[in-house]
């Protein structure tokens, strides 16, 4: 699917100066009063807004609800009871269990970290994944979303982007955004004015993300990371450590949760050394000197800088390919290898734009839910937690009688863990053999399906404590704004993450 702007120029064919000139021309075309404005708003009294009563106002960018990460479950022991149609084998050891290298038994891993606390992490990357408006010229914040106040060139993909859990349920792509907690711009207000068309200054690019944008992205599973710190000497390790602590305190105050990832800024290994010493930093990423990640080979992640690439053209080599085209080449190269030999595609990026949106759509259509459905795209902190549970968690089977099998899953407490969810493969059993599966109160989300490649049943277990309350908050948002398509889509998505229950049925009925 190729996304095209309303006014289309072949920017790829232009030199850098030509691209700048075209953007300047586009800016004046949209903002000059002699050109008829594309009016997406209500309230305009005439074309030039000369008699409009619509005014702009400054508002604090804040979410209407936020997942209580600080109250998330710490350690878990949960039980599943499986009743079968046919007798269980006498030798119960035949029903082996494993936590596979990648959630949902996906065959390759894609991760993306967006540096510099960029506003486009919200209004481009997050928006493209979750079906919200996109713009080729402008930028917006959560407060604009809440006011239904979007740029004049807004367009939609009319779909969300992700994979499935192997049992028919959508799992949206996720990524990591870095934060700049020591900079005051994260606390600034947003100007909104639905119907105000005299100018579009409120949609000009901000210095970076506001805390409200970050909280909304966290509601959808996006991860966060340390990056630049407000230090006088970025090569002084003790000073970097001091400011890591300052930044961490601000993050905990603003978000009610820890930050356990660091993305190395400016090629400066002083940050890596400080991150190794700072207790809250558990996982790191770097574009040079890091450890290459092979998901199907056991890799230690604790305090280990994981290699990533910006896939940018070399400044000394003439190459017309853009970053996404280079990433596609890397993906195809890895997929030509056996699963166990595939390297994770771990990408770093600063700004994202229409070309990146096209790339995310390509991922979805080729390898996500609308394609082969063989890739998993989590944030690095979610992947870190999954490998932690895979390494330290246990799954035990116990035969109750000829037709009843009990699985006990233990996920030990980990530092700053917010994604207590795993996939378990139960071998030598198929869904046709299963009469029912009962889960206890510790499991909030659950699905299962055959996984033929390993002759097993795949069990997807989610133990997030407030998953049901979180889903209901999305339902309430939809009920308050029933005409906003994205809100209904979100509500359906989050309710479908829940295990089957009367509560889930009631929530789905509220959406309908």
């Amino acid at each position: 699917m190729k996304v095209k702007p309303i006014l289309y120029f072949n920017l790829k064919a232009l030199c850098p100066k030509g691209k700048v000139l075209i953007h300047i021309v586009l800016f004046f075309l949209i903002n000059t009063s002699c050109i008829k404005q594309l009016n997406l708003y209500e309230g305009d009294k005439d074309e030039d807004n000369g008699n409009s009563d619509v005014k702009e106002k400054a508002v604090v960018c804040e979410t209407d609800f936020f997942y209580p990460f600080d109250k998330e479950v710490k350690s878990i022991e949960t039980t599943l009871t499986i009743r079968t149609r046919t007798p269980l084998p006498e030798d119960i050891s035949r029903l082996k269990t494993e936590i596979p290298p990648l959630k949902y038994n996906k065959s390759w891993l894609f991760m993306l970290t967006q540096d510099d606390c960029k506003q486009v992490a919200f209004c481009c990357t997050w928006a493209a994944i979750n079906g919200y408006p996109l713009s080729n010229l402008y930028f917006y914040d959560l407060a604009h979303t809440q006011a239904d106040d979007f740029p004049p060139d807004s367009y939609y993909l009319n779909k969300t982007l992700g994979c499935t859990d192997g049992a028919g349920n959508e799992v949206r792509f996720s990524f990591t955004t870095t934060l700049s907690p020591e900079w005051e711009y994260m606390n600034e207000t947003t100007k909104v004015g639905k119907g105000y068309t005299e100018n579009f200054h409120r949609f000009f690019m901000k210095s970076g993300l506001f805390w409200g944008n970050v909280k909304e992205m966290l509601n959808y599973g996006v991860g966060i990371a340390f990056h630049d710190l407000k230090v006088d000497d970025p090569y002084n390790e003790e000073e970097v450590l001091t400011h890591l602590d300052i930044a961490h305190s601000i993050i905990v105050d603003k978000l009610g949760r820890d930050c356990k990832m660091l993305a190395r800024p400016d090629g400066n290994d002083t940050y890596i050394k400080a991150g190794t010493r700072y207790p809250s930093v558990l996982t790191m990423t770097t574009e040079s000197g890091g450890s290459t990640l092979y998901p199907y080979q056991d890799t230690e992640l604790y305090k280990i800088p994981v290699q990533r690439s910006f896939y940018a053209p070399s400044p000394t080599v003439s190459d017309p390919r853009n970053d996404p085209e280079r990433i596609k080449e890397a993906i195809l190269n890895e997929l030509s290898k056996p699963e166990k030999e595939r390297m994770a595609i771990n990408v770093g990026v600063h700004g994202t734009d229409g070309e990146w949106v096209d790339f995310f759509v390509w991922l979805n259509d080729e390898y996500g839910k609308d394609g082969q459905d063989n890739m998993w795209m989590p944030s690095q902190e979610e992947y870190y937690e999954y490998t932690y549970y895979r390494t330290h968690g246990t799954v035990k089977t116990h035969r109750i009688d000829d037709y009843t099998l009990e699985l006990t899953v233990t996920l030990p407490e980990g530092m700053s863990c917010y994604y207590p969810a795993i996939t378990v493969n139960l071998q030598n059993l198929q869904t046709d053999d299963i009469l029912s599966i009962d889960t206890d109160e510790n499991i909030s989300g659950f699905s299962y399906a055959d996984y033929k490649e390993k002759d097993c049943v795949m069990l997807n277990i989610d133990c997030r404590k407030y998953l049901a309350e979180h889903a209901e908050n999305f339902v309430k948002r939809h009920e308050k704004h029933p005409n906003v398509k994205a809100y209904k889509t979100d509500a359906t998505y989050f309710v479908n993450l829940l295990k089957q229950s009367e509560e889930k049925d009631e929530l789905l009925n509220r959406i309908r």
Side-chain angles (χ1 to χ4, degrees), residues 128-421:
I129 292 169
N130 292 287
Y132 282 80
L134 297 162
S135 169
N136 289 292
L137 297 174
Y138 294 109
F139 308 83
Y140 67 86
D141 298 305
L142 174 63
H144 295 118
T145 302
Q146 294 167 329
D148 192 26
D149 180 24
F150 293 109
D153 66 331
S154 294
Y155 67 94
Y156 291 80
L157 296 179
N158 293 317
K159 64 193 296 183
T160 54
L161 310 178
C163 64
T164 79
D165 65 352
N169 301 300
E170 179 187 13
V171 179
R172 291 183 188 170
F173 293 154
S174 190
F175 65 101
T176 301
T177 182
T178 65
L179 304 181
S180 299
E182 294 182 282
W183 276 265
E184 188 58 32
Y185 69 73
M186 293 195 71
N187 298 300
E188 292 178 4
T189 57
T190 300
K191 283 189 176 181
V192 298
K194 181 179 179 181
Y196 184 81
T197 58
E198 185 174 340
N199 61 60
F200 296 105
H201 295 166
R202 66 190 183 279
F203 298 126
F204 285 8
M205 185 173 66
K206 311 297 193 307
S207 298
L209 290 169
F210 299 151
W211 287 109
N213 296 339
V214 175
K215 292 173 77 172
E216 184 71 343
M217 289 192 290
L218 285 169
N219 274 335
Y220 289 73
V222 173
I224 55 174
F226 296 107
H227 194 50
D228 284 301
L229 299 169
K230 212 170 188 178
V231 292
D232 294 324
D233 181 2
Y235 297 96
N236 183 317
E237 188 175 329
E238 296 304 320
E239 187 177 355
V240 171
L241 271 170
T242 297
H243 282 267
L244 271 174
D245 200 46
I246 294 171
H248 181 257
S249 296
I250 296 170
I251 290 171
V252 172
D253 177 63
K254 295 291 185 179
L255 303 178
R257 53 152 288 176
D258 287 331
C259 179
K260 61 175 174 289
M261 179 179 170
L262 183 146
R264 186 184 75 169
D266 305 318
N268 185 352
D269 277 335
T270 304
Y271 278 73
I272 296 296
K273 294 175 183 177
T276 303
R277 293 173 57 193
Y278 191 66
S280 292
V281 173
L282 308 181
T283 182
M284 297 179 281
T285 189
T286 177
E287 59 278 5
S288 64
S291 176
T292 302
L293 179 59
Y294 292 90
Y296 277 79
Q297 301 174 18
D298 290 335
T299 304
E300 177 60 49
L301 293 177
Y302 176 70
K303 296 284 188 181
I304 300 298
V306 176
Q307 186 73 21
R308 64 173 176 171
S309 175
F310 279 83
Y311 291 91
S314 169
T316 60
V317 178
S318 177
D319 190 334
R321 294 175 301 165
N322 57 30
D323 293 9
E325 288 175 337
R326 289 170 167 268
I327 300 170
K328 288 181 182 180
E329 182 182 5
I331 290 171
L332 294 173
N333 181 58
E334 292 306 314
L335 293 185
S336 68
K337 304 174 183 177
E339 284 185 12
K340 292 184 179 180
E341 298 176 17
R342 290 176 184 170
M343 176 182 70
I345 304 297
N346 194 11
V347 177
V349 67
H350 293 96
T352 46
D353 54 17
E355 288 183 331
W356 281 91
V357 171
D358 292 341
F359 172 68
F360 298 142
V361 172
W362 178 82
L363 282 176
N364 175 86
D365 293 352
E366 293 293 327
Y367 305 109
K369 62 183 176 63
D370 297 324
Q372 298 178 45
D373 198 24
N374 60 2
M375 68 169 285
W376 183 32
M377 182 178 167
S379 66
Q380 185 168 320
E381 67 170 334
E382 182 179 357
Y383 177 70
Y384 173 87
E385 291 184 25
Y386 183 82
T387 59
Y388 176 84
Y389 290 132
R390 180 171 181 259
T391 302
H392 301 286
T394 61
V395 182
K396 296 181 179 179
T397 57
H398 176 61
R399 178 193 176 108
I400 303 299
D401 57 43
D402 288 348
Y403 296 88
T404 309
L405 180 71
E406 189 174 84
L407 263 66
T408 300
V409 178
T410 302
L411 304 181
E413 180 175 354
M415 184 176 174
S416 306
C417 284
Y418 305 112
Y419 304 94

Side-chain angles (χ1 to χ4, degrees), residues 461-505:
I461 301 167
D462 194 331
C463 296
R464 281 179 285 179
K465 187 175 181 179
Y466 298 96
L467 190 61
E469 289 87 342
H470 196 51
E472 185 173 15
N473 280 330
F474 280 97
V475 173
K476 290 177 180 178
R477 180 184 284 179
H478 159 64
E479 290 172 331
K480 189 175 180 179
H481 305 279
N483 295 324
V484 179
K485 182 180 178 181
Y487 288 173
K488 182 176 182 179
T489 302
D490 285 344
T492 303
Y493 169 70
F494 282 96
V495 172
N496 281 334
L497 296 179
L498 302 177
K499 68 180 181 182
Q500 192 56 49
S501 65
E502 291 183 0
E503 180 181 19
K504 179 176 181 178
D505 291 338

Side-chain angles (χ1 to χ4, degrees), residues 112-122 124-126 175-179 308 347-352 360:
L112 178 122
T113 305
Q114 191 149 1
D115 285 3
D116 295 348
C117 198
K118 293 282 189 179
Q119 188 182 8
V120 285
F122 177 77
C124 184
T125 310
W126 173 87
F175 65 101
T176 301
T177 182
T178 65
L179 304 181
R308 64 173 176 171
V347 177
V349 67
H350 293 96
T352 46
F360 298 142

